[in-house]
Structure formats: structure tokens, C-alpha cells
Amino acid sequence: MQSLNFPQFEYRFKSNENNISIFDVIRKKFVILQPEEWVRQHCVHHLMTEHNYPKSLINVEKELKINDLKKRYDIVIFHPDGSINIVVECKAPEITINQTTFDQIARYNQQLDADYLMVTNGINHYYCQMDTTSESYIFLKDLPKYQKP
């Protein structure tokens, strides 16, 4: 798999029936290794090791309903009280991050109401807060580190 703009982490692979899987520490199972999954796993480990978010507050690949359409978010990090702190949208490294990507995460955030948003293709990372009054993004240099309540 391609090198990404994230720190390295200890990962486990498994191979069967012409598929390679990677172990997801959040879902506690092996998942088929696709380019987007490679980015998602790096991002999860980055958020846990570099930003200190506990595993117990991280959720990966869950269904979300938007205008009667079933969608799936990539990563959500909760506050200890259950409200949503961060929504992360992961794309494969060959996918260019553009306005469509930001529109997608903004639509998800209309339902989720997170404090922060992150969009990454593993190479480029964008962090922002949504300004709901002006319906615009406030871009940040990084996400905040986890602070115990």
C-alpha cells in the first residue's frame, strides 16, 4: 500500500481467498484492505496516538440517514457526554479533495452537529469548524488534542 502523510503504526494483516484484510482496533475485526480503508486506519491511529483520543470515544463506519438516503460516515469521535466532537471523511489517496468532498461532510454534519470536521485522503488533511450562521468553514491548522473532562 501507498505511503501516507501520517505517522507509522503497528498494523496486522491477514490474507485469505485473494483478499488482504487489516485489523481495525475500533471495530475489533479484520476488514478488507481497500485504499480508503488504509487511510481510515492511519487516521484512527493518528487521532489516538497524536491527539490522545481514547478508543472508547471513536466510532467507525456507521450508517447515517440523510433525506431518507442511507449513508455511512467514516470516523466519528464523541465527547464523553455522547455529543459529537469530530467527524472525519476519508478518501482514497488518489481522490482529490475538492468542494464536493466538503459538501459531503457538511451534509453529514447537518445531522451529526459536530464541533470539528476533518477531511483527508491520507496525503492532504483539512481541519475546520462549521460556522452555521454564515454556512461557511473556518479552517484550522490542526484538530484540538483530547482533554479529559
Side-chain angles (χ1 to χ4, degrees):
M1 277 285 166
Q2 177 178 350
S3 267
L4 301 177
N5 185 17
F6 282 116
Q8 292 295 312
F9 68 97
E10 293 282 325
Y11 43 80
R12 291 174 30 210
F13 291 127
K14 178 172 89 171
S15 180
N16 64 356
E17 298 180 24
N18 300 327
N19 286 322
I20 297 175
S21 297
I22 188 169
F23 189 75
D24 181 329
V25 297
I26 304 300
R27 292 179 274 187
K28 297 181 177 130
K29 67 179 186 177
F30 282 92
V31 291
I32 294 177
L33 183 59
Q34 300 286 341
E36 184 177 314
E37 190 63 46
W38 184 238
V39 172
R40 185 170 23 253
Q41 292 305 313
H42 275 78
C43 189
V44 164
H45 285 269
H46 170 71
L47 292 165
M48 289 187 318
T49 57
E50 303 295 315
H51 289 80
N52 303 319
Y53 287 100
K55 254 196 283 194
S56 61
L57 296 179
I58 301 174
N59 206 305
V60 174
E61 278 239 303
K62 294 287 183 186
E63 192 173 279
L64 171 70
K65 228 176 181 181
I66 300 175
N67 299 327
D68 293 328
L69 297 174
K70 291 180 181 181
K71 302 289 184 182
R72 291 185 84 74
Y73 61 71
D74 285 306
I75 303 167
V76 164
I77 300 177
F78 293 92
H79 287 289
D81 69 4
S83 61
I84 297 176
N85 187 6
I86 303 168
V87 176
V88 182
E89 179 60 30
C90 299
K91 297 294 184 188
E94 68 273 7
I95 303 296
T96 302
I97 307 245
N98 56 25
Q99 187 62 47
T100 305
T101 313
F102 283 100
D103 292 345
Q104 177 185 1
I105 199 168
R107 276 192 306 278
Y108 289 4
N109 200 42
Q110 286 176 333
Q111 290 285 2
L112 299 171
D113 195 27
D115 298 330
Y116 299 95
L117 307 176
M118 175 182 178
V119 177
T120 182
N121 63 4
I123 309 301
N124 300 301
H125 317 303
Y126 300 93
Y127 314 100
C128 56
Q129 284 182 288
M130 236 353 234
D131 182 343
T132 51
T133 53
S134 66
E135 295 186 357
S136 63
Y137 307 104
I138 301 166
F139 284 90
L140 309 168
K141 290 184 181 187
D142 200 354
L143 292 172
K145 299 217 184 270
Y146 178 71
Q147 302 287 324
K148 286 185 180 180

